[in-house]
Amino acid sequence: MTGSICVVGAGATGIRLVERIRANAARASSRRPLEVHLVDPDAPPPGAVSPDPQSPGLRIHLHRAGAIDLAGRRVLLDDGTRVDTDAVVLAQGWPGVLPSAREQELRRFAHEQGLYYRPAGHVADRPLEQVAGGEPVLAIGLGSVLADVLTRLTVARGGRFRHGSDGELIYHPSGREPLVHVGSVRGVPPHCQVGYRLTGERPPPPRFVRRAGEGARDFRAQVWPLVAKDLAYAYYHHLLTVHPDRTRVSWDAFADAFEAEEWDGRAMRALIRTAVPRFEDRLNFARLDRPLAGIRFGDLAGLQRWMHGYLSADLTRRADPSHSADLAMIHALRGVLDHLTGRVPDDPWFHRLARHAAGTLPAARIAELRALARARVVTFLGAETRVEPTRDGVWRATSATVPGAVTARAFIEARRPGPSLDRTRDPLLRRLYARGECAEESGRLKVSLPGHRIVDQNGTAHPHRFALGPWTTGGHPLSADDPAIRHADTLARTLLTAAADPRVARVA
């Protein structure tokens, strides 16, 4: 009898898992023949996941259809196909969600007043042609979705970027662009990606966070001090060993004193000030997380000058290997996230901080944003930005950073919607959730770890249903290759074991 595994989703997660199944199957000394079904309406061409010549007995079937339900381990597809399997893995990308109650309310307001409103989601989900050139538009979000929105409102309308004589990017408007006023909770975009490789010793593996008890409920009080200490340990280890000319003590002396002190206590702050004389060389998580906290400008012009300097400083620092301690901290951050996964509940604040600190935008995108701001196509609104409907029939934006308000007839929520199973657009997840066959935690699909088995609403992990990816509680927000491959490799071996037992009926 042939073994069978079904992987739902042919994105990066699904393809990686299929590759690890294939690699582990090739190393297996003895097993029954195996079929892998890869299900995705946008599946890649056959050559992208063709069977390995060194894996005799393994066949990969591509189904360009959507998975709409599960009955036991039978996967029902929207083209009428039924796939009976030994194990099912949900490896979709971030599932879309239906509008929230607030979004529905804002949609009604926009319709009644003849305004433009684009709720959270990918750019392709809503047309932007209705946004008039030369008119103000409000946007919430400063990440990758905004970058795509700005491309469609600028370059796609005839504007162009070019490099000036000093090498910096300049934007030449076409005159058809709207005047985009942007803000967010943090008020600044995520840091740009680092443009160099790490040199010197690898950052020390997590050590302090291992003292956190499994299942700790208060992340900020019980876990964060240990996480911060691990990240700072890696940061200062790199700074003191690779850039000792900017420090006053040896690493050995610093490490002993650092380990003995509580994170961010008076003694530790004094130790860091003594060891690292320059303020810009010290790691400051509060400044990293909320650089605009406590800053208040008298007008928008003052904020724009500050933001232009902030973006320039970020581009410079992320391209300068003399600040490679930043990259050492990012490497440590990935290790900490990998260690915490499955041991303590996900903390949304920490995941947001991780994405912000690690850099989720290419440097080119930040340079384009700065150029658009200098061309006055983009105006920054600051931190804690809110957009609300008004009695005057327009959108009104305010922030904690500047006084006054900006009004417009167009409002774009330039961000991805938060995960939610009770509002998911995915028909398979919607049906499983309605029947209580899956559960959510902080909006994510709950899985048991380290096995990645889907957990139902009674807390029971299914023996033959699995899920993998950043939208599950087993995923984390950074695309670190090593942990992702390791998780996929471990799950692949589990799946091959399940498919190797011909005695288990596929109807359960």
Side-chain angles (χ1 to χ4, degrees):
M1 183 177 178
T2 301
S4 178
I5 298 169
C6 182
V7 177
V8 178
T13 301
I15 294 298
R16 179 185 288 119
L17 178 60
V18 170
E19 292 296 333
R20 299 320 303 160
I21 291 172
R22 186 167 60 183
N24 280 278
R27 292 194 293 265
S29 57
S30 62
R31 58 170 174 79
R32 55 176 172 156
L34 177 66
E35 294 182 337
V36 176
H37 297 267
L38 186 59
V39 175
D40 194 316
D42 301 312
V49 285
S50 59
D52 191 310
Q54 296 180 358
S55 304
L58 184 148
R59 295 183 60 195
I60 298 176
H61 305 273
L62 295 177
H63 299 270
R64 291 184 176 85
I68 58 174
D69 205 356
L70 276 178
R73 280 168 282 154
R74 175 175 292 166
V75 186
L76 283 63
L77 309 186
D78 59 10
D79 64 357
T81 302
R82 299 186 175 194
V83 181
D84 289 331
T85 69
D86 297 296
V88 181
V89 186
L90 306 188
Q92 305 98 311
W94 283 89
V97 297
L98 296 169
S100 66
R102 180 179 185 274
E103 287 173 331
Q104 294 178 37
E105 180 183 340
L106 296 182
R107 275 180 167 177
R108 285 192 295 269
F109 175 81
H111 178 73
E112 292 167 359
Q113 302 296 331
L115 305 179
Y116 179 86
Y117 172 59
R118 196 192 81 98
H122 295 289
V123 176
D125 296 343
R126 298 285 186 280
L128 293 173
E129 290 76 11
Q130 299 173 38
V131 179
E135 295 294 322
V137 56
L138 307 177
I140 294 291
L142 279 159
S144 59
V145 175
L146 176 71
D148 293 339
V149 166
L150 290 176
T151 296
R152 293 181 61 187
L153 293 177
T154 58
V155 175
R157 294 190 177 193
R160 60 189 179 89
F161 291 100
R162 71 171 181 82
H163 289 281
S165 58
D166 59 358
E168 291 195 351
L169 203 62
I170 299 172
Y171 181 72
H172 292 273
S174 68
R176 299 168 55 204
E177 303 88 348
L179 305 176
V180 187
H181 293 72
V182 299
S184 67
V185 173
R186 189 174 276 115
V188 298
H191 286 287
C192 64
Q193 295 168 359
V194 175
Y196 52 84
R197 293 184 178 275
L198 195 66
T199 59
E201 296 180 37
R202 290 183 61 86
R207 53 192 296 164
F208 304 108
V209 76
R210 296 180 182 277
R211 301 171 186 172
E214 292 196 11
R217 307 307 302 179
D218 190 334
F219 185 91
R220 296 295 291 269
Q222 297 174 273
V223 183
W224 169 245
L226 302 174
V227 169
K229 193 170 181 178
D230 260 322
L231 300 183
Y233 191 82
Y235 178 93
Y236 290 116
H237 169 267
H238 187 89
L239 183 68
L240 271 69
T241 58
V242 178
H243 306 290
D245 55 308
R246 304 212 302 272
T247 65
R248 290 174 174 163
V249 300
S250 69
W251 166 247
D252 290 339
F254 180 89
D256 290 341
F258 183 91
E259 185 156 359
E261 302 297 338
E262 290 186 4
W263 170 248
D264 206 31
R266 181 178 298 178
M268 178 172 282
R269 292 197 298 269
L271 169 67
I272 292 172
R273 285 195 302 269
T274 300
V276 183
R278 295 201 311 175
F279 178 79
E280 66 176 18
D281 283 333
R282 300 175 195 154
L283 183 59
N284 185 318
F285 288 112
R287 187 175 70 246
L288 180 67
D289 184 28
R290 296 297 173 92
L292 279 168
I295 300 177
R296 180 86 170 170
F297 296 91
D299 54 25
L300 279 171
L303 171 61
Q304 305 319 298
R305 289 191 292 271
W306 187 93
M307 283 296 304
H308 296 174
Y310 177 87
L311 296 178
S312 295
D314 189 49
L315 285 166
T316 299
R317 184 169 181 128
R318 289 294 173 120
D320 185 355
S322 70
H323 293 289
S324 55
D326 294 347
L327 185 54
M329 186 272 290
I330 292 170
H331 280 264
L333 179 60
R334 290 170 171 152
V336 165
L337 281 162
D338 194 42
H339 174 78
L340 290 178
T341 298
R343 292 181 170 88
V344 300
D346 287 344
D347 184 81
W349 166 80
F350 179 50
H351 279 215
R352 288 192 295 269
L353 173 61
R355 287 193 297 270
H356 175 71
T360 55
L361 288 178
R365 288 294 205 179
I366 298 295
E368 289 173 0
L369 181 61
R370 182 182 62 177
L372 290 170
R374 288 176 171 175
R376 298 187 178 181
V377 173
V378 166
T379 299
F380 298 103
L381 295 175
E384 306 296 337
T385 300
R386 293 180 58 84
V387 175
E388 300 291 345
T390 71
R391 293 180 180 179
D392 298 330
V394 294
W395 304 112
R396 180 176 184 268
T398 58
S399 83
T401 308
V402 291
V406 177
T407 59
R409 296 186 59 79
F411 171 30
I412 298 171
E413 298 208 45
R415 58 181 178 81
R416 285 195 311 187
S420 172
L421 288 185
D422 64 353
R423 293 190 290 113
T424 182
R425 292 183 181 273
D426 187 299
L428 172 57
L429 291 174
R430 188 165 60 245
R431 290 185 171 99
L432 293 178
Y433 188 72
R435 295 196 299 260
E437 295 176 25
C438 68
E440 71 175 10
E441 186 175 277
S442 301
R444 297 169 182 254
L445 180 71
K446 189 171 184 177
V447 298
S448 65
L449 295 169
H452 293 275
R453 288 178 165 83
I454 295 176
V455 176
D456 66 21
Q457 291 171 22
N458 293 320
T460 302
H462 198 286
H464 306 293
R465 294 178 180 176
F466 305 82
L468 186 68
W471 58 282
T472 73
T473 54
H476 64 62
L478 302 186
S479 57
D481 285 339
D482 289 347
I485 292 173
R486 186 163 64 252
H487 289 309
D489 198 60
T490 300
L491 179 55
R493 291 195 293 271
T494 300
L495 297 170
L496 288 170
T497 299
D501 190 350
R503 298 169 298 174
V504 180
R506 292 177 180 168
V507 295

